[in-house]
Amino acid sequence: MTAETPIRTRFAPSPTGLLHIGGARTALFNYLFARHHGGSFLLRIEDTDRARSTPEATEVILKGLDWLGLNPDEPPVYQSAREARHAEVARQLLEQGRAYRCFATKAELDQMRAEAIAAGRPPRYDGRWRDRDPGEAPPGVKPSIRLRAPQEGVTEVEDLVQGTVRVANAELDDMIILRSDGTPTYLHAVVVDDHDMGITHVIRGDDHLTNTFRQVQIYNAMGWEKPRFAHIPLIHGADGAKLSKRHGAVSVLEFEREGFLPEALCNYLLRLGWGHGDAEILSREQAIELFDLGGVGRAASRMDYAKLTHLNGVWLRQADDTRLARDVLRRLAEEPGLVIDDTVEARVSLLMPALKERAKTLVELAASAGFLARPQPLTFDTKAQLLLTPEARTMLASLAPRLEATDFSVAGIDAALRAFAEETSRKLGQVAQPLRAALTGTTTSPPIDATLAALGRTESLARIRAVTTG
Ligand code: GLU
């Protein structure tokens, strides 16, 4: 790699499960690293495990990346489509004497394994076909191809996060690169693909660290230039245990359903395991500018929903009102019985600046906007019912004409409410709270003047009338 080699990173998920937050963070780091260096971010779908890979899982991964704004710069590479190339490289290694055919039968391998385990040794292939003449091959056994791995010395990796890591070559056996049925093994396929895709930096979870030694041996055998490796620590649950469904090892799209903004989730995942001083709130642009692998910590990080929710609130308040209104209306439209028409849309848009001040998620935001869409008769929660005493209803009846006489602007409503409170020797809250109950069916809403203005004259007065008559 020369100084001018453009940086190319890749995210290489296996479509055997969901795109969960661990994968999302790996994708994000690859994306940010590439962007920071003006390079390219690629995607490879590692679908060689035909039995476990599904098109649905691939779809969910692509959708999840799209939602997070982490689309690759080139069309995705499907590993399964490259099997012929993987086999070609295996044959090349064979021709160069860097690999050999192994005719050991399954029974032999099973026995080798059982004996090693019984003797307390790690189960390793004993190299029985390494130097044997293939002419001695038993009839009918289809050979696999094994890498002729170095038996002495060490394999060393300068990891950009973990530092120097090494393993004694005596610890590693001659791994299979092409199975007897002609299919490539996963470790081999990854090396061939990364090489062919021109990947300069492999950034992935540290659960792949031990694979790296074997992959490095393949690079060395082919005489290929190795990429730089960066193994990032995994994300654990809040209790320190490996992330499971219970902790949110769910599809990132689940976070969308739960009302998180992609920029908030990305900001959270970035800060989880990477730091730049005290900076907490980082936009995509800032992250691209600042991201470096030196800032990635070595310890596993813990998923903290409270922190994510807090960050989401911060991003929500900064988000564009039109975008938020669109999302809220989409969520409300899914609620049975709610009709979203132009009037409702106008109300939600009008009140959005006030609504977003008090919500931490889009789900909360939609819930707080629900009263703007609900048809009459409203249902009243217990607290609202308690506020709507006979006295309160009488008060609202005398307040109604005063409101009707205003221009229904926020300022006009505010002035009318204040004048009414003063004239009737009430505190503003004593007027506003029953009014809020009548208008929303609840006891919380944005400021009452803005709430009235958003509902509009006709609807506000109709809702007041509904509690003051009959
Ligand atoms: N396909 C692997 C996984 O989903 C990633 C392999 C790699 O990044 O090299 O865990």
Side-chain angles (χ1 to χ4, degrees), residues 89-164:
V89 173
R91 276 195 300 275
Q92 221 171 311
L93 285 166
L94 194 61
E95 278 156 25
Q96 292 163 359
R98 307 302 299 252
Y100 60 91
R101 290 197 176 85
C102 168
F103 294 88
T105 60
K106 178 159 187 317
E108 275 179 87
L109 293 172
D110 286 348
Q111 190 189 355
M112 209 183 293
R113 197 184 154 77
E115 280 173 12
I117 290 171
R121 282 182 279 118
R124 269 190 235 136
Y125 175 68
D126 63 5
R128 60 182 61 184
W129 283 95
R130 189 176 164 105
D131 298 310
R132 203 161 152 191
D133 180 356
E136 293 173 24
V141 178
K142 273 201 178 163
S144 57
I145 297 181
R146 286 185 185 268
L147 188 75
R148 191 185 299 279
Q151 291 175 316
E152 277 145 31
V154 292
T155 296
E156 201 167 82
V157 178
E158 288 293 335
D159 192 274
L160 293 170
V161 172
Q162 310 288 334
T164 308

XYZ file of all heavy atoms in Angstrom, residues 89-164:
595
model
N -8.350 -19.679 -6.707
C -7.204 -19.306 -5.860
C -6.703 -20.531 -5.089
O -5.489 -20.731 -4.940
C -7.586 -18.148 -4.903
C -6.471 -17.872 -3.908
C -7.906 -16.894 -5.710
N -7.627 -21.373 -4.651
C -7.206 -22.586 -3.937
C -6.353 -23.452 -4.866
O -5.325 -24.007 -4.448
C -8.438 -23.353 -3.448
N -6.778 -23.571 -6.109
C -6.012 -24.382 -7.078
C -4.646 -23.760 -7.366
O -3.642 -24.446 -7.511
C -6.811 -24.561 -8.369
C -7.818 -25.719 -8.276
C -8.329 -26.125 -9.651
N -8.988 -25.008 -10.309
C -10.272 -24.671 -10.125
N -11.034 -25.402 -9.318
N -10.798 -23.641 -10.744
N -4.628 -22.425 -7.386
C -3.366 -21.722 -7.598
C -2.391 -22.050 -6.459
O -1.217 -22.313 -6.697
C -3.653 -20.225 -7.604
C -2.907 -19.450 -8.656
C -3.462 -18.029 -8.690
O -4.689 -17.833 -8.739
N -2.578 -17.054 -8.636
N -2.905 -22.044 -5.251
C -2.056 -22.364 -4.093
C -1.545 -23.800 -4.190
O -0.405 -24.098 -3.829
C -2.847 -22.153 -2.787
C -3.054 -20.680 -2.395
C -4.114 -20.556 -1.301
C -1.738 -20.050 -1.917
N -2.424 -24.642 -4.707
C -2.068 -26.051 -4.873
C -0.911 -26.181 -5.881
O 0.098 -26.846 -5.619
C -3.305 -26.785 -5.384
C -3.350 -28.298 -5.349
C -3.228 -28.808 -3.922
C -4.677 -28.798 -5.955
N -1.075 -25.487 -7.007
C -0.041 -25.544 -8.051
C 1.289 -25.005 -7.552
O 2.346 -25.482 -7.928
C -0.483 -24.717 -9.277
C -1.428 -25.475 -10.187
C -2.283 -24.520 -11.025
O -1.866 -23.374 -11.274
O -3.409 -24.948 -11.403
N 1.201 -24.000 -6.682
C 2.443 -23.385 -6.183
C 3.034 -24.169 -5.016
O 4.011 -23.733 -4.410
C 2.164 -21.936 -5.745
C 1.819 -21.019 -6.908
C 1.158 -19.724 -6.432
O 0.938 -19.521 -5.231
N 0.817 -18.862 -7.367
N 2.386 -25.255 -4.663
C 2.889 -26.054 -3.543
C 2.598 -25.429 -2.183
O 3.096 -25.883 -1.158
N 1.750 -24.378 -2.186
C 1.433 -23.729 -0.900
C 0.200 -24.361 -0.269
O -0.237 -23.970 0.804
C 1.174 -22.228 -1.112
C 2.267 -21.499 -1.861
C 3.610 -21.611 -1.201
N 3.650 -21.040 0.139
C 4.272 -19.906 0.462
N 4.904 -19.234 -0.450
N 4.282 -19.469 1.704
N -0.354 -25.316 -0.980
C -1.503 -26.049 -0.440
C -1.378 -27.486 -0.940
O -0.590 -27.763 -1.848
C -2.801 -25.422 -0.928
N -2.123 -28.379 -0.336
C -2.039 -29.774 -0.768
C -3.395 -30.449 -0.626
O -4.272 -29.946 0.093
C -0.965 -30.530 0.034
C -1.211 -30.563 1.536
C -1.920 -31.606 2.122
C -0.718 -29.537 2.359
C -2.135 -31.632 3.495
C -0.941 -29.560 3.721
C -1.645 -30.615 4.290
O -1.875 -30.639 5.642
N -3.506 -31.590 -1.329
C -4.769 -32.334 -1.248
C -4.739 -33.229 -0.022
O -3.735 -33.890 0.251
C -4.951 -33.194 -2.497
C -5.221 -32.379 -3.745
C -5.808 -33.267 -4.845
N -6.142 -32.461 -6.011
C -5.256 -32.143 -6.954
N -4.009 -32.580 -6.887
N -5.616 -31.391 -7.977
N -5.825 -33.236 0.689
C -5.915 -34.092 1.876
C -7.019 -35.116 1.640
O -8.166 -34.748 1.345
C -6.226 -33.239 3.099
S -6.685 -34.230 4.529
N -6.657 -36.376 1.767
C -7.613 -37.453 1.492
C -8.128 -38.101 2.778
O -8.694 -39.187 2.742
C -6.962 -38.521 0.591
C -6.650 -38.011 -0.792
C -5.439 -37.395 -1.073
C -7.589 -38.119 -1.821
C -5.148 -36.918 -2.341
C -7.300 -37.642 -3.091
C -6.082 -37.043 -3.359
N -7.876 -37.442 3.894
C -8.346 -38.035 5.158
C -9.867 -38.165 5.104
O -10.562 -37.249 4.656
C -7.914 -37.165 6.328
N -10.364 -39.292 5.543
C -11.810 -39.505 5.510
C -12.449 -38.871 6.746
O -11.749 -38.540 7.710
C -12.138 -41.009 5.523
O -11.589 -41.555 6.730
C -11.550 -41.712 4.317
N -13.739 -38.762 6.708
C -14.446 -38.175 7.848
C -14.185 -39.000 9.105
O -13.946 -38.455 10.183
C -15.942 -38.098 7.545
C -16.717 -37.529 8.714
C -18.058 -36.982 8.329
C -18.732 -36.277 9.482
N -18.641 -36.962 10.770
N -14.183 -40.327 8.926
C -13.960 -41.213 10.081
C -12.568 -40.957 10.684
O -12.410 -40.872 11.905
C -14.093 -42.667 9.643
N -11.595 -40.777 9.806
C -10.231 -40.514 10.289
C -10.176 -39.193 11.068
O -9.551 -39.093 12.124
C -9.269 -40.391 9.099
C -8.705 -41.683 8.557
C -7.786 -41.395 7.374
O -6.590 -41.142 7.604
O -8.304 -41.381 6.233
N -10.818 -38.200 10.488
C -10.786 -36.876 11.123
C -11.503 -36.906 12.471
O -11.056 -36.296 13.443
C -11.427 -35.827 10.201
C -10.658 -35.543 8.902
C -11.476 -34.641 7.986
C -9.299 -34.892 9.197
N -12.611 -37.653 12.501
C -13.361 -37.780 13.760
C -12.498 -38.440 14.824
O -12.481 -38.035 15.989
C -14.650 -38.597 13.544
C -15.695 -37.778 12.786
O -15.492 -36.549 12.649
O -16.692 -38.381 12.310
N -11.771 -39.456 14.397
C -10.930 -40.201 15.336
C -9.789 -39.290 15.847
O -9.486 -39.252 17.040
C -10.353 -41.444 14.650
C -9.667 -42.384 15.624
C -8.914 -43.498 14.893
O -8.993 -43.615 13.669
N -8.184 -44.294 15.641
N -9.199 -38.550 14.912
C -8.114 -37.621 15.257
C -8.576 -36.630 16.321
O -7.899 -36.351 17.292
C -7.750 -36.856 13.971
C -6.330 -36.383 13.853
S -6.141 -35.434 12.320
C -6.379 -36.639 11.061
N -9.792 -36.182 16.106
C -10.384 -35.201 16.995
C -10.633 -35.793 18.381
O -10.255 -35.201 19.406
C -11.719 -34.757 16.355
C -12.276 -33.511 16.869
C -13.636 -33.230 16.226
N -14.388 -32.399 17.157
C -14.140 -31.092 17.292
N -13.259 -30.484 16.546
N -14.806 -30.386 18.200
N -11.218 -36.982 18.381
C -11.545 -37.654 19.633
C -10.266 -37.945 20.431
O -10.227 -37.730 21.659
C -12.305 -38.947 19.350
N -9.236 -38.384 19.752
C -7.977 -38.703 20.441
C -7.350 -37.441 21.046
O -6.846 -37.467 22.170
C -6.989 -39.345 19.451
C -7.288 -40.821 19.220
C -6.433 -41.441 18.119
O -5.455 -40.811 17.682
O -6.769 -42.561 17.711
N -7.390 -36.361 20.290
C -6.810 -35.113 20.797
C -7.564 -34.648 22.034
O -6.966 -34.283 23.047
C -6.858 -34.041 19.707
N -8.877 -34.706 21.969
C -9.686 -34.249 23.104
C -9.417 -35.126 24.321
O -9.217 -34.632 25.434
C -11.192 -34.197 22.732
C -11.405 -33.047 21.734
C -12.066 -34.018 23.962
C -12.779 -32.976 21.105
N -9.333 -36.460 24.085
C -9.071 -37.396 25.187
C -7.705 -37.122 25.817
O -7.534 -37.238 27.039
C -9.140 -38.833 24.665
N -6.755 -36.699 24.992
C -5.409 -36.443 25.513
C -5.265 -35.007 26.029
O -4.170 -34.592 26.421
C -4.378 -36.708 24.415
N -6.368 -34.265 26.002
C -6.335 -32.891 26.503
C -5.633 -31.917 25.552
O -5.214 -30.843 25.950
N -5.489 -32.323 24.284
C -4.861 -31.434 23.305
C -5.956 -30.740 22.490
O -7.036 -31.305 22.318
C -3.996 -32.261 22.331
C -2.652 -32.694 22.899
C -1.859 -33.458 21.849
N -2.276 -34.863 21.738
C -2.789 -35.437 20.667
N -3.014 -34.727 19.581
N -3.116 -36.716 20.655
N -5.677 -29.545 21.995
C -6.686 -28.940 21.116
C -6.836 -29.796 19.856
O -5.836 -30.334 19.369
C -6.111 -27.562 20.780
C -4.687 -27.577 21.207
C -4.482 -28.700 22.170
N -8.059 -29.974 19.385
C -8.269 -30.844 18.227
C -7.704 -30.209 16.956
O -8.264 -29.234 16.457
C -9.790 -30.977 18.149
C -10.320 -29.813 18.897
C -9.282 -29.345 19.845
N -6.615 -30.720 16.482
C -5.977 -30.150 15.284
C -5.699 -31.256 14.278
O -5.402 -32.389 14.658
C -4.654 -29.516 15.676
C -4.800 -28.084 16.029
C -3.435 -27.463 16.156
N -3.340 -26.856 17.475
C -2.294 -26.969 18.266
N -1.254 -27.663 17.890
N -2.299 -26.395 19.432
N -5.727 -30.888 13.041
C -5.361 -31.806 11.966
C -3.864 -32.120 12.103
O -3.054 -31.218 12.314
C -5.662 -31.138 10.622
C -5.221 -31.947 9.435
C -5.863 -33.142 9.126
C -4.169 -31.524 8.631
C -5.461 -33.890 8.034
C -3.768 -32.266 7.536
C -4.412 -33.457 7.247
O -4.007 -34.194 6.179
N -3.520 -33.380 11.971
C -2.120 -33.769 12.241
C -1.196 -33.700 11.027
O -0.038 -34.108 11.095
C -2.076 -35.169 12.867
C -2.627 -36.240 11.912
O -2.946 -35.894 10.748
O -2.742 -37.411 12.319
N -1.700 -33.187 9.924
C -0.821 -32.982 8.757
C -0.480 -34.271 8.022
O 0.505 -34.326 7.295
N -1.329 -35.299 8.157
C -0.951 -36.609 7.590
C -0.824 -36.641 6.060
O -0.156 -37.515 5.534
C -1.914 -37.700 8.062
C -3.349 -37.484 7.689
C -4.229 -38.594 8.258
N -4.153 -38.597 9.734
C -4.762 -39.506 10.491
N -5.436 -40.487 9.927
N -4.695 -39.438 11.792
N -1.462 -35.702 5.369
C -1.316 -35.674 3.898
C -0.399 -34.553 3.415
O -0.235 -34.350 2.215
C -2.699 -35.568 3.224
C -3.415 -36.883 3.222
C -4.323 -37.332 4.127
C -3.210 -37.954 2.286
N -4.714 -38.606 3.840
C -4.054 -39.023 2.711
C -2.413 -38.115 1.147
C -4.114 -40.241 2.026
C -2.472 -39.325 0.466
C -3.317 -40.382 0.907
N 0.204 -33.871 4.372
C 1.041 -32.708 4.030
C 2.189 -33.117 3.075
O 2.464 -32.425 2.103
C 1.595 -32.116 5.326
C 2.299 -30.794 5.170
C 2.716 -30.242 6.538
N 3.710 -29.197 6.381
C 3.475 -27.886 6.525
N 2.282 -27.467 6.868
N 4.440 -27.018 6.348
N 2.821 -34.201 3.392
C 3.963 -34.600 2.568
C 3.762 -35.958 1.910
O 4.714 -36.563 1.432
C 5.234 -34.624 3.441
C 5.540 -33.250 3.999
O 5.548 -32.287 3.199
O 5.687 -33.118 5.234
N 2.560 -36.440 1.920
C 2.319 -37.760 1.373
C 2.039 -37.677 -0.124
O 1.452 -36.703 -0.603
C 1.110 -38.361 2.102
C 1.067 -39.862 2.046
C 0.150 -40.351 3.144
N -0.454 -41.629 2.775
C -1.445 -42.172 3.437
N -1.964 -41.564 4.491
N -1.932 -43.326 3.056
N 2.414 -38.685 -0.802
C 2.212 -38.728 -2.248
C 0.725 -38.939 -2.544
O 0.139 -39.929 -2.090
C 3.045 -39.904 -2.804
C 2.903 -40.041 -4.318
O 2.099 -39.281 -4.914
O 3.589 -40.907 -4.884
N 0.097 -38.017 -3.284
C -1.334 -38.185 -3.576
C -1.624 -39.498 -4.309
O -2.760 -39.966 -4.330
C -1.662 -36.990 -4.477
C -0.541 -36.038 -4.320
C 0.661 -36.804 -3.880
N -0.575 -40.090 -4.880
C -0.739 -41.393 -5.529
C -1.194 -42.467 -4.545
O -1.767 -43.485 -4.941
N -0.951 -42.215 -3.268
C -1.364 -43.195 -2.248
C -2.825 -43.001 -1.833
O -3.307 -43.654 -0.908
C -0.493 -43.043 -1.000
C 0.963 -43.414 -1.215
C 1.810 -43.064 0.018
O 1.240 -42.977 1.123
O 3.014 -42.872 -0.145
N -3.479 -42.053 -2.488
C -4.851 -41.729 -2.076
C -5.755 -42.949 -2.158
O -5.705 -43.691 -3.145
C -5.391 -40.627 -2.979
N -6.568 -43.143 -1.125
C -7.496 -44.265 -1.173
C -8.518 -44.027 -2.273
O -8.885 -42.877 -2.531
C -8.158 -44.243 0.202
C -7.932 -42.860 0.708
C -6.692 -42.341 0.069
N -8.985 -45.066 -2.931
C -9.927 -44.861 -4.026
C -11.250 -44.309 -3.496
O -11.669 -44.636 -2.381
C -10.101 -46.272 -4.609
C -9.678 -47.207 -3.521
C -8.698 -46.482 -2.654
N -11.858 -43.473 -4.304
C -13.205 -42.996 -3.966
C -13.261 -41.857 -2.971
O -14.347 -41.339 -2.699
N -12.124 -41.446 -2.411
C -12.180 -40.325 -1.456
C -11.911 -39.027 -2.210
O -10.898 -38.882 -2.883
C -11.140 -40.488 -0.317
C -11.195 -39.278 0.617
C -11.397 -41.770 0.453
N -12.855 -38.108 -2.096
C -12.658 -36.812 -2.751
C -11.810 -35.955 -1.814
O -12.162 -35.799 -0.634
C -14.017 -36.134 -2.960
C -14.704 -36.537 -4.238
C -15.726 -35.456 -4.562
C -16.448 -35.746 -5.855
N -17.670 -34.935 -5.907
N -10.739 -35.381 -2.302
C -9.874 -34.644 -1.378
C -10.383 -33.230 -1.088
O -11.096 -32.640 -1.889
C -8.558 -34.560 -2.154
C -8.971 -34.539 -3.582
C -10.216 -35.379 -3.682
N -9.989 -32.729 0.071
C -10.153 -31.302 0.332
C -8.786 -30.675 0.062
O -7.797 -31.394 -0.095
C -10.580 -31.078 1.781
O -9.637 -31.646 2.664
N -8.760 -29.363 -0.016
C -7.471 -28.693 -0.191
C -7.135 -27.955 1.092
O -7.960 -27.189 1.617
C -7.494 -27.738 -1.401
C -7.740 -28.544 -2.681
C -6.180 -26.959 -1.507
C -7.761 -27.716 -3.943
N -5.935 -28.237 1.604
C -5.491 -27.596 2.850
C -4.308 -26.681 2.575
O -3.458 -26.977 1.747
C -5.046 -28.655 3.863
C -6.197 -29.412 4.480
C -5.697 -30.356 5.554
N -6.780 -31.177 6.072
C -7.517 -30.841 7.125
N -7.280 -29.721 7.791
N -8.496 -31.631 7.530
N -4.266 -25.607 3.319
C -3.141 -24.683 3.210
C -1.918 -25.330 3.868
O -2.028 -25.915 4.944
C -3.478 -23.375 3.942
C -2.465 -22.256 3.745
C -2.613 -21.660 2.349
C -2.652 -21.169 4.792
N -0.776 -25.243 3.197
C 0.461 -25.729 3.811
C 0.977 -24.582 4.700
O 1.746 -23.729 4.267
C 1.473 -26.079 2.711
C 2.690 -26.847 3.198
C 3.678 -27.029 2.047
N 3.119 -27.781 0.929
C 3.031 -29.122 0.888
N 3.469 -29.850 1.882
N 2.512 -29.720 -0.162
N 0.508 -24.559 5.934
C 0.801 -23.427 6.822
C 2.203 -23.578 7.407
O 2.676 -24.702 7.581
C -0.245 -23.372 7.938
N 2.833 -22.461 7.711
C 4.164 -22.565 8.328
C 4.061 -23.252 9.691
O 3.085 -23.047 10.421
C 4.606 -21.110 8.473
C 3.360 -20.297 8.386
C 2.402 -21.069 7.549
N 5.033 -24.089 10.000
C 4.960 -24.824 11.266
C 5.859 -24.224 12.337
O 5.749 -24.548 13.509
C 5.330 -26.291 11.018
C 4.260 -26.991 10.197
C 4.618 -28.411 9.820
O 5.748 -28.688 9.416
N 3.659 -29.310 9.953
N 6.763 -23.389 11.882
C 7.647 -22.736 12.848
C 7.416 -21.232 12.819
O 6.768 -20.722 11.919
C 9.110 -23.028 12.495
C 9.573 -24.366 13.030
C 10.557 -25.044 12.096
O 11.305 -24.319 11.414
O 10.539 -26.293 12.045
N 7.978 -20.583 13.814
C 7.891 -19.123 13.855
C 6.533 -18.648 14.362
O 5.755 -19.445 14.908
N 6.286 -17.374 14.165
C 5.024 -16.806 14.645
C 4.330 -16.068 13.510
O 4.982 -15.615 12.570
C 5.225 -15.794 15.812
C 5.714 -16.471 17.072
C 6.161 -14.672 15.407
N 3.026 -15.988 13.626
C 2.265 -15.113 12.727
C 1.868 -13.907 13.564
O 1.310 -14.054 14.663
C 1.033 -15.841 12.160
O 1.494 -16.933 11.359
C 0.190 -14.912 11.309
N 2.198 -12.735 13.040
C 2.017 -11.521 13.828
C 1.106 -10.543 13.088
O 1.195 -10.431 11.870
C 3.389 -10.884 14.033
C 3.451 -9.948 15.198
C 4.903 -9.597 15.536
O 5.446 -8.698 14.863
O 5.473 -10.223 16.429
N 0.277 -9.877 13.828
C -0.606 -8.875 13.235
C -0.466 -7.578 14.023
O -0.545 -7.582 15.250
C -2.088 -9.349 13.276
C -3.010 -8.283 12.714
C -2.265 -10.652 12.506
N -0.224 -6.492 13.292
C -0.201 -5.156 13.922
C -1.614 -4.628 13.857
O -1.981 -3.998 12.873
C 0.712 -4.205 13.139
C 2.183 -4.448 13.249
C 2.719 -4.187 14.651
O 2.089 -3.395 15.387
O 3.729 -4.798 15.002
N -2.379 -4.902 14.869
C -3.778 -4.476 14.823
C -3.879 -3.005 15.218
O -3.245 -2.567 16.177
C -4.607 -5.352 15.774
C -6.079 -5.161 15.562
O -6.661 -4.224 16.153
O -6.675 -5.946 14.800
N -4.695 -2.261 14.478
C -4.760 -0.820 14.715
C -5.520 -0.462 15.993
O -5.481 0.672 16.443
C -5.404 -0.120 13.505
C -4.552 -0.189 12.221
C -5.335 0.283 11.019
C -3.266 0.622 12.381
N -6.216 -1.435 16.568
C -6.881 -1.192 17.851
C -6.227 -2.026 18.955
O -5.938 -1.533 20.038
C -8.394 -1.514 17.769
C -9.041 -1.454 19.147
C -9.093 -0.533 16.834
N -5.956 -3.277 18.659
C -5.474 -4.192 19.698
C -3.954 -4.143 19.886
O -3.426 -4.742 20.807
C -5.878 -5.639 19.363
C -7.338 -5.832 19.018
C -8.245 -5.707 20.231
O -7.822 -5.951 21.352
N -9.494 -5.322 20.015
N -3.253 -3.474 19.002
C -1.793 -3.472 19.087
C -1.238 -4.733 18.431
O -1.907 -5.371 17.629
N -0.014 -5.109 18.812
C 0.594 -6.287 18.182
C 0.020 -7.555 18.819
O 0.040 -7.708 20.029
C 2.124 -6.275 18.392
O 2.601 -5.015 17.956
C 2.790 -7.387 17.606
